[in-house]
């Protein structure tokens, strides 16, 4: 191959990579533009309007710069391609081979790795920005100075917040299928009761009123999140490692629980999931009068397929079971949710031998004949041989403003760790529950509930003092109350039952005369504990 042709191909390859990078940036701008559209709808004050206008101006300028850069690179690529074609013709060289198509991931783990690499590349591209460097520098300096990190959650750069939101989408397989709304204050949505039929009439005649009944669903506000500790050794060396630690842990936890809640949320102190709604056998107490009429679905929308059905007979039963999912209000996207074992079972049932003698399966990420996307979730979410299927755009998720991802507030000195937190707020429910079915295959009765991590931080608390203590006359001892189950901060009020024997101030007990006194501590939320203090000579 001629040397000049080789160099032209190399230059062309580099330019194509530059163009791909610009394409990714343009896609990011489109996502930011969608977020700004939502922000415009939520503007309620002139101050918010000014902030949004500034964001629009910045976005417009960035788009113009990217479009100009893309046009310039496109022209360069066209020129290089023409020059290379001419050079190859002159040198009688073989044409450059086409770039191989990207290999499909062999399994879910490889797919996740590919996505993580994309996220890492994106983070690497933004950590040089002044706002991001300032954010990471604040965390790093706090680590070195062994101090608390204050206010970081409120200064998290928007560019990183965007990456975090995208990460949640990657780790949540169901978020992209449900109907997501963003609201402020009290959330309400309108739902039509039945499919209306429009009326034909002459062009100049009056229109007929459509027979539509609308119902309202009210949405509360539940907070999903937690805090986590990161070893400082992982944070001190590079901005990229620090940022990836901050972004990754939060995204995985939120995405996992989002999926679990959409399917199995109890509706008590959390959103209502699809499966518990299908399992209801009577209308719940307090069911809103403004909501769609409650319907008993546990008989027709929960099915068990016996293990005697295999092969084509199994898919016939699946089709009949899915027929109970009513998609009149859906855009038509069917989704089947199962774990890896169930997916393997379905794949095996669809296996056959083709004309060349190769073993093939009609299941390749979609359900054969019936249609619909198959989403495979961990077995810690969906039990074996359970399938939740339906039109997932009939599930409404209402997100609220105020996400706080990776906000660091506490430094764990002895453990050499920094603590971060992740918080999102949303409520949700299957607005038209008739659009879903729960199916047990291989003779397995479907499971209609799931366990969630306990809310230990808000469990009923107690305050504790030692049952007894001793102090000499004229000496002091300090009593330290302990609040369980979490050592949260509290304000304490102290009292001595017999001040002639012992006095107390701020937990410090002073012996006055021989005898005893009961020392009482009371927290600001009304918890009390006692310690009998004996005063010796």
């Amino acid at each position: 191959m001629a040397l000049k042709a080789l160099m032209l191909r190399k230059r062309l390859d580099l330019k194509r990579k530059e163009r791909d990078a610009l394409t990714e940036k343009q896609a990011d701008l489109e996502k930011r533009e969608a977020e700004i559209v939502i922000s415009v709808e939520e503007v309620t004050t002139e101050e918010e309007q000014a902030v949004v206008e500034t964001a629009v101006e910045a976005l417009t300028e960035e788009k113009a710069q990217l479009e100009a850069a893309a046009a310039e690179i496109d022209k360069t690529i066209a020129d290089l391609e023409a020059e290379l074609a001419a050079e190859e013709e002159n040198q009688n060289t073989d044409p450059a081979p086409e770039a191989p198509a990207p290999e499909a991931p062999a399994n879910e783990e490889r797919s996740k790795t590919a996505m993580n690499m994309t996220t890492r590349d994106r983070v690497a591209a933004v950590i040089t920005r002044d706002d991001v460097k300032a954010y990471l520098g604040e965390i790093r300096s706090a680590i070195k100075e062994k101090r608390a990190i204050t206010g970081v959650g409120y200064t998290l750069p928007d560019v990183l917040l965007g990456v975090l939101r995208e990460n949640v989408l990657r780790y949540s397989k169901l978020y992209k299928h449900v109907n997501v709304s963003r609201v402020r204050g009290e959330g309400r949505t309108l739902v039509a009761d039945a499919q209306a039929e429009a009326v034909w009439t002459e062009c100049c005649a009056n229109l007929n009123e459509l027979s539509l009944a609308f119902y309202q669903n009210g949405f509360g506000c539940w907070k999903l999140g937690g805090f986590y500790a990161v070893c400082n050794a992982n944070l001190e060396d590079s901005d990229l490692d620090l940022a990836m630690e901050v972004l990754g842990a939060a995204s995985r936890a939120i995405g996992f629980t989002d999926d679990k809640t959409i399917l199995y949320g109890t509706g008590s102190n959390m959103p209502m999931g699809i499966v518990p709604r299908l399992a209801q056998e009577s209308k719940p107490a307090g069911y809103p009068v403004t909501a769609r009429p409650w319907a008993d679905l546990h008989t027709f929308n929960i099915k068990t397929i016996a293990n005697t059905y295999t092969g084509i007979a199994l898919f016939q039963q699946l089709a009949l079971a899915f027929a109970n999912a009513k998609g009149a209000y859906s855009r038509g996207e069917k989704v089947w949710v199962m774990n890896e074992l169930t997916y393997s079972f379905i794949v095996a049932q669809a296996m056959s031998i083709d004309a060349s003698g190769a073993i093939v399966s009609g299941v390749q990420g979609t359900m054969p004949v019936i249609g619909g996307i198959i989403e495979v979730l961990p077995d810690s979410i969906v039990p074996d041989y359970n399938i939740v299927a339906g039109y997932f755009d009939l599930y409404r998720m209402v997100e609220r403003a105020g996400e706080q991802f990776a906000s660091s507030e506490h430094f764990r000195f002895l453990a050499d760790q920094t603590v971060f937190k992740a918080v999102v707020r949303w409520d949700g429910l299957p607005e038209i529950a008739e659009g879903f079915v729960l199916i047990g295959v291989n003779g397995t009765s479907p499971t209609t509930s799931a366990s969630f991590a306990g809310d230990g931080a808000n469990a009923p608390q107690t305050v504790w003092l030692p049952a007894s203590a001793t102090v000499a006359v004229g000496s002091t001892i300090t009593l330290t109350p302990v609040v369980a189950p979490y050592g949260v901060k509290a304000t304490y009020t102290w009292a001595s039952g017999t001040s002639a024997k012992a006095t107390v101030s701020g937990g410090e007990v002073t012996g006055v005369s021989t005898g005893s006194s009961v020392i009482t501590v009371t927290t600001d939320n009304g918890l009390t504990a006692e310690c009998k203090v004996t005063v010796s000579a």
Side-chain angles (χ1 to χ4, degrees):
M1 179 187 298
L3 181 59
K4 185 176 180 179
L6 178 62
M7 293 304 299
L8 285 171
R9 288 180 182 178
K10 181 63 176 178
R11 289 178 59 191
L12 186 58
D13 181 62
L14 292 175
K15 285 297 179 183
R16 284 171 175 167
K17 288 181 179 178
E18 288 182 28
R19 188 62 177 86
D20 291 341
L22 284 180
T23 300
E24 288 188 9
K25 291 181 180 179
Q26 288 173 322
D28 293 339
L29 288 183
E30 291 177 1
K31 293 176 182 178
R32 284 173 55 189
E33 186 175 19
E35 293 178 357
I36 290 177
V37 170
I38 296 174
S39 299
V40 170
E41 296 173 353
E42 296 176 345
V43 165
T44 57
T45 66
E46 291 184 359
E47 183 180 3
E48 291 177 343
Q49 178 70 27
V51 172
V52 172
E53 287 176 353
T54 300
V56 170
E57 291 175 0
L59 181 65
T60 302
E61 183 178 352
E62 286 187 56
K63 287 182 68 175
Q65 292 175 353
L66 278 180
E67 289 172 359
E72 183 178 350
I73 291 180
D74 287 342
K75 183 179 183 305
T76 302
I77 289 175
D79 293 341
L80 286 172
E81 288 175 339
E83 187 177 355
L84 177 59
E87 182 63 20
E88 288 175 336
E89 184 176 355
N90 291 337
Q91 298 296 330
N92 195 26
T93 58
D94 294 330
E98 295 183 1
E103 181 182 355
N107 52 44
E108 184 65 19
E109 191 60 37
R110 285 181 59 186
S111 178
K112 288 181 179 179
T113 301
M115 290 188 293
N116 288 339
M117 287 301 296
T118 300
T119 301
R120 190 175 184 88
D121 292 342
R122 290 200 58 211
V123 174
V126 301
I127 59 175
T128 58
R129 289 171 48 131
D130 291 341
D131 53 351
V132 177
K133 289 180 72 68
Y135 172 76
L136 299 177
E138 170 67 15
I139 295 176
R140 182 169 288 104
S141 63
I143 292 170
K144 292 180 179 178
E145 297 168 15
K146 306 297 188 288
R147 63 177 172 84
I149 304 173
T150 58
V152 173
Y154 299 99
T155 59
L156 181 67
D158 288 341
V159 66
L160 282 184
L161 186 58
V163 177
L164 279 162
R165 285 173 176 161
E166 291 171 25
N167 271 1
V168 170
L169 295 185
R170 290 190 178 100
Y171 288 108
S172 170
K173 294 188 176 182
L174 302 184
Y175 184 97
K176 60 181 175 288
H177 297 297
V178 301
N179 190 352
V180 180
S181 302
R182 293 180 65 84
V183 301
R184 291 177 181 268
E186 185 179 11
R188 292 189 177 276
T189 61
L190 287 176
V191 184
D193 178 49
Q195 181 65 52
E197 185 174 351
V199 180
W200 285 103
T201 187
E202 294 184 5
C203 289
C204 296
N206 294 326
L207 288 173
N208 291 268
E209 180 179 357
L210 299 181
S211 299
L212 278 174
F214 286 95
Y215 297 92
Q216 282 190 342
N217 282 324
F219 294 89
C221 179
W222 306 113
K223 181 167 64 178
L224 171 64
F227 65 83
Y228 56 97
V230 177
C231 175
N232 294 331
N234 294 336
L235 307 180
E236 293 177 349
D237 296 333
S238 78
D239 281 349
L240 182 57
D241 287 342
L242 188 154
M244 289 302 296
E245 286 282 1
V246 168
L247 306 184
S251 302
R252 287 192 295 271
I254 298 296
F256 175 90
T257 312
D258 276 350
D259 285 350
K260 189 174 184 179
T261 305
I262 290 170
L263 295 180
Y264 295 100
T266 63
S268 175
N269 293 331
M270 69 174 68
M272 170 61 74
I274 294 167
V275 172
R277 170 60 186 92
L278 294 180
Q280 291 176 351
E281 298 185 16
S282 59
K283 183 167 71 174
Y287 187 81
V289 295
T290 58
R292 294 179 74 248
W294 181 87
D296 185 354
L297 305 174
H298 84 281
T299 300
F300 295 103
N301 291 60
I302 299 180
K303 297 293 183 180
T304 300
I305 299 176
N307 58 9
T308 53
Y309 292 99
T310 60
I312 293 177
L314 171 63
F315 289 97
Q316 290 173 335
Q317 291 298 312
L318 286 171
L320 292 172
F322 190 88
N324 291 289
K326 308 305 179 185
Y329 303 98
S330 170
R331 60 179 178 263
E333 183 180 52
K334 301 175 182 177
V335 181
W336 303 75
V337 184
M338 62 194 74
N339 69 15
E340 187 69 43
L341 185 147
T342 309
Y343 178 70
S344 298
F345 171 77
I346 296 295
V347 169
Q349 297 302 315
M351 284 183 176
S352 61
I353 299 177
D354 66 10
S356 65
I359 299 177
V360 296
S361 176
V363 177
Q364 296 295 333
T366 58
M367 189 64 72
V369 183
I370 313 168
I373 300 169
I374 296 177
E375 295 288 4
V376 179
L377 299 187
D379 55 13
S380 53
I381 297 180
V382 185
D384 293 345
Y385 301 117
N386 276 230
I387 300 174
V388 184
Y391 301 91
F392 272 65
D393 60 321
L394 300 182
Y395 186 95
R396 173 83 67 166
M397 173 188 284
V398 173
E399 291 184 334
R400 296 181 179 273
E403 293 96 333
Q404 291 183 359
F405 287 94
S407 173
S408 177
E409 292 187 343
H410 302 288
F411 176 79
R412 288 185 175 178
F413 178 80
L414 294 179
D416 196 26
Q417 296 174 333
T418 297
V419 178
F420 299 90
K421 72 177 181 182
V423 177
V424 296
R425 300 186 299 157
W426 67 274
D427 194 9
L429 53 79
E431 283 193 310
I432 301 180
E434 297 92 323
F436 302 91
V437 291
L438 173 62
I439 307 170
V441 297
N442 201 28
T444 301
S445 297
T447 300
T448 57
S449 63
S451 60
F452 287 78
D455 184 11
N458 298 291
Q461 296 177 329
T462 59
V463 62
W464 174 88
L465 283 176
S468 61
T470 301
V471 64
V473 174
S475 298
T476 62
I477 60 171
T478 300
L479 297 178
T480 303
V482 176
V483 176
Y486 278 65
V488 297
K489 293 181 180 180
T491 301
Y492 302 107
T493 301
W494 295 87
S496 173
T498 310
S499 56
K501 300 298 180 181
T503 60
V504 60
S505 176
E508 186 176 88
V509 180
T510 302
V512 177
S513 63
T514 57
S516 64
S517 177
V518 175
I519 304 299
T520 303
V521 64
T522 303
T523 67
D524 49 359
N525 61 344
L527 302 176
T528 62
E530 296 179 345
C531 174
K532 182 179 180 180
V533 175
T534 300
V535 183
S536 60

